[in-house]
Amino acid sequence: MAGNFGSPSPTQALSVGNVVSAGLRLYRSHLKDYFLLALKAYVWVLVPVYGWAKFYALTALISRLAFGELVNQPESIPSGERFVNSRLWQFLLTILLLFLVGIGIGLGVVILSILLGVVSAAFVGGAGQQGNPATYLVFILAAFVIGIVALLGILWLVTRFYLVDLPLAVEEGIEATSAISRSWELTQGHVWRILLISFVGFLITIPIQIVVQIVISILQAVFLPLISDGNTAFALLYFVLVLVLSFSSGALLIPFWQSIKAVIYYDLRSRREGLGLQLRDREI
């Protein structure tokens, strides 16, 4: 190992730039392998239930492989795949639990919206009788602030489950429920930094997303007039092309996100558990 590229001490958090840079280096140096794994995962999406578990396990495998590189314990793809496959049903249970959590969050948002709507109706009715424009302005500002706070609260809650797949793909003795608890534990006090890292990562992926949208727009312009004439062959061809493009672009982006997630996971573990993060200066 040639050293590190200025990583902080094990008790100091990596900067947003360090996390994204390390994720990019992992992504670039293993792009072919990670892309093929992600593409394989997307093909499994077409198979209900079992295929969804395979998708989650294979995308988590990318993070497991990236984590192995960070700890200087690289692992072969077949070895890592055997490990995640041994926990396939735990991945499926995790999907179900996260789905239920999502329903809970959604119900909470709906209930809050209804309550705010009732209060708003009563408030606006009273303000209408008074005919005071300043009251309307205060109400609008209050509604805006409440909306921002609610959005931040949802983002905070969702981010607490950001690392659920990592413990399940990496650590021993972890099941679906303990993976969720582990993510909650690791992300405590680091939600806003994770969100900032995610935002920077999103900015990096914008060019790829723009290219994909341009290509899809071109395909629509070419095929929709033909499809409108009732030609089922062109409709099928259009569907296949869009599906291939969507899967390929997704397979290009997922390894980037999973690599960044692996760096975040290792960064948090290194400071909580003293792993002693040393990011290698050579091509990972």
Side-chain angles (χ1 to χ4, degrees):
M1 181 169 63
N4 60 69
F5 60 87
S7 61
S9 63
T11 57
Q12 181 183 353
L14 286 173
S15 69
V16 172
N18 281 338
V19 171
V20 176
S21 296
L24 276 171
R25 291 177 62 180
L26 284 166
Y27 173 74
R28 288 199 309 265
S29 57
H30 300 280
L31 177 58
K32 180 182 177 181
D33 291 337
Y34 292 176
F35 172 79
L36 291 177
L37 278 175
L39 193 60
K40 181 179 178 181
Y42 268 106
V43 173
W44 275 110
V45 169
L46 300 175
V47 180
V49 185
Y50 180 80
W52 303 337
K54 287 287 290 186
F55 172 85
Y56 199 31
L58 287 171
T59 54
L61 172 59
I62 296 173
S63 290
R64 175 184 173 88
L65 296 172
F67 178 80
E69 295 291 339
L70 289 171
V71 297
N72 203 18
Q73 295 177 357
E75 181 181 26
S76 68
I77 292 177
S79 174
E81 193 165 2
R82 283 193 297 271
F83 184 89
V84 297
N85 283 339
S86 69
R87 296 183 171 182
L88 200 60
W89 298 115
Q90 292 299 322
F91 278 105
L92 182 59
L93 181 57
T94 302
I95 293 174
L96 177 60
L97 292 175
L98 291 177
F99 176 72
L100 293 176
V101 169
I103 290 178
I105 294 174
L107 287 175
V109 171
V110 170
I111 293 172
L112 179 61
S113 300
I114 292 174
L115 291 175
L116 290 176
V118 171
V119 173
S120 301
F123 186 86
V124 170
Q129 293 176 357
Q130 297 173 7
N132 188 349
T135 305
Y136 281 109
L137 180 60
V138 171
F139 172 75
I140 292 172
L141 291 175
F144 177 76
V145 171
I146 292 173
I148 294 296
V149 171
L151 176 61
L152 292 176
I154 293 171
L155 289 175
W156 180 89
L157 189 58
V158 170
T159 306
R160 297 303 299 271
F161 303 106
Y162 180 76
L163 297 174
V164 169
D165 56 327
L166 268 294
L168 199 55
V170 173
E171 301 179 28
E172 299 290 343
I174 294 289
E175 297 179 348
T177 52
S178 54
I180 292 175
S181 300
R182 185 77 166 125
S183 176
W184 190 272
E185 170 196 349
L186 288 172
T187 56
Q188 183 176 358
H190 302 282
V191 168
W192 306 118
R193 192 167 69 93
I194 293 173
L195 284 173
L196 181 57
I197 292 169
S198 299
F199 177 70
V200 174
F202 169 75
L203 294 179
I204 292 174
T205 63
I206 285 178
I208 295 177
Q209 297 180 56
I210 290 176
V211 170
V212 171
Q213 290 303 316
I214 291 174
V215 174
I216 289 178
S217 298
I218 293 173
L219 290 176
Q220 288 177 341
V222 171
F223 281 94
L224 288 185
L226 301 173
I227 295 173
S228 62
D229 293 336
N231 194 317
T232 55
F234 283 113
L236 179 60
L237 179 59
Y238 173 74
F239 173 77
V240 170
L241 289 175
V242 171
L243 187 66
V244 170
L245 180 63
S246 299
F247 280 12
S248 299
S249 60
L252 196 61
L253 292 176
I254 277 186
F256 170 69
W257 289 114
Q258 293 299 115
S259 297
I260 286 182
K261 188 183 290 188
V263 179
I264 294 173
Y265 171 72
Y266 188 41
D267 179 34
L268 297 179
R269 283 195 64 187
S270 68
R271 287 178 294 109
R272 287 180 177 273
E273 302 165 8
L275 293 179
L277 179 60
Q278 294 292 313
L279 301 179
R280 285 175 285 171
D281 196 26
R282 64 178 176 82
E283 280 300 314
I284 303 176

